[in-house]
Amino acid sequence: MKIKILLLLSIFTLGSSVDSQAQKLKKFGSSIEKKIGPKTIKVPYTEVVSYLGYASPGNEDEVKDGKKFYYIYMWVPAVATELGVRMKSPVGKTKVKNATKSKAYEENASSDEYFDTYITLERSDIISKDKISEDGVKNANWTTLDRNDDSSEMPKQPSGSSYNSLLRYKSEVGDPLKALTVGLYRIGFTTYKKGEVKGTFLAEVAAPIKLPGVAMAKTIEELKKGL
């Protein structure tokens, strides 16, 4: 009997440890590395903008290659040398300071639903705030700078799989289409496999320097209000 109780306690402790570890989100490190003693760490980004959202069937922004894509729009007011993007689903008990919360997230914050995240970072040819509008975005030319599916740097999902995403993109100064200039960007997200996207998520965009005036929102209307 004693052995059974000890075994149950061990399983409970292990489960609690895994859950606690799954909720922990480390500081967002840049591509710049620094050696501290025997360890080499990634220097944390200086600027981090966080967004809490909830994806559900029927409110996708676009269907591409059979996948339902959702977008978060972002205004970058200055030239950047690097941008980092990461996404975690579900949000769970992860604590995030000063995050923008969508109405959908606030209504579904307690949901334990999640999805296999797949992210893209895209830049438009809109370089002036005055050009930001629903029609302007629809007619804009979008360039995909980078994409990521699975990242071992991110916390594992409740399933135990490393299906959360992270990318770091360095500006390619010699290529106008690949440079991180002032302008309108968007983070695209969907699932790796074709199907429905449903669950809470945390999306973060970061830079190695302060970028006063960075704004991020789920819709163009919300973005314009934040500028």
Side-chain angles (χ1 to χ4, degrees):
M1 184 66 177
K2 187 176 180 181
I3 294 176
K4 287 184 179 179
I5 292 174
L6 288 173
L7 180 60
L8 286 171
L9 285 173
S10 297
I11 293 172
F12 177 77
T13 302
L14 179 61
S16 299
S17 176
V18 171
D19 181 68
S20 175
Q21 184 178 6
Q23 301 299 343
K24 190 175 181 181
L25 187 63
K26 296 179 181 179
K27 287 185 177 180
F28 201 169
S30 68
S31 64
I32 301 172
E33 295 185 339
K34 183 177 181 180
K35 194 166 185 178
I36 300 179
K39 293 184 178 180
T40 299
I41 66 165
K42 292 185 180 297
V43 178
Y45 282 113
T46 302
E47 181 85 3
V48 180
V49 181
S50 304
Y51 182 91
L52 293 168
Y54 178 77
S56 59
N59 69 344
E60 62 275 359
D61 296 299
E62 186 178 7
V63 177
K64 293 195 300 185
D65 301 324
K67 294 185 179 183
K68 296 183 178 181
F69 264 85
Y70 298 72
Y71 295 117
I72 297 174
Y73 294 93
M74 177 176 62
W75 172 255
V76 176
V79 174
T81 56
E82 177 178 314
L83 285 179
V85 180
R86 67 179 179 178
M87 179 169 281
K88 174 185 183 296
S89 178
V91 175
K93 296 178 181 178
T94 303
K95 295 181 179 180
V96 187
K97 293 182 179 179
N98 305 317
T100 298
K101 298 179 182 179
S102 69
K103 183 178 179 181
Y105 172 75
E106 292 179 333
E107 293 174 348
N108 297 276
S110 61
S111 171
D112 57 2
E113 297 167 306
Y114 63 96
F115 55 95
D116 175 358
T117 67
Y118 175 91
I119 58 175
T120 61
L121 173 63
E122 302 175 54
R123 195 199 74 188
S124 75
D125 55 358
I126 296 176
I127 58 174
S128 172
K129 292 182 183 179
D130 299 334
K131 301 294 183 182
I132 299 177
S133 66
E134 294 288 351
D135 289 337
V137 170
K138 287 179 182 178
N139 297 319
N141 293 315
W142 292 92
T143 300
T144 299
L145 301 175
D146 203 358
R147 55 174 59 85
N148 180 260
D149 178 26
D150 304 330
S151 172
S152 60
E153 293 185 53
M154 293 293 287
K156 292 182 179 180
Q157 295 189 319
S159 63
S161 299
S162 298
Y163 287 165
N164 285 314
S165 311
L166 182 152
L167 65 83
R168 299 179 183 89
Y169 179 78
K170 289 185 177 181
S171 180
E172 296 186 21
V173 182
D175 187 345
L177 292 177
K178 298 291 185 176
L180 292 172
T181 59
V182 174
L184 179 67
Y185 292 72
R186 70 184 181 191
I187 304 164
F189 65 96
T190 183
T191 57
Y192 176 71
K193 296 180 180 179
K194 296 178 181 179
E196 298 294 354
V197 183
K198 191 175 184 180
T200 60
F201 65 85
L202 164 65
E204 290 189 320
V205 179
I209 59 172
K210 283 289 185 181
L211 295 173
V214 169
M216 185 162 60
K218 183 66 184 70
T219 67
I220 293 300
E221 183 179 354
E222 291 173 344
L223 182 69
K224 292 182 71 173
K225 288 180 181 178
L227 294 176

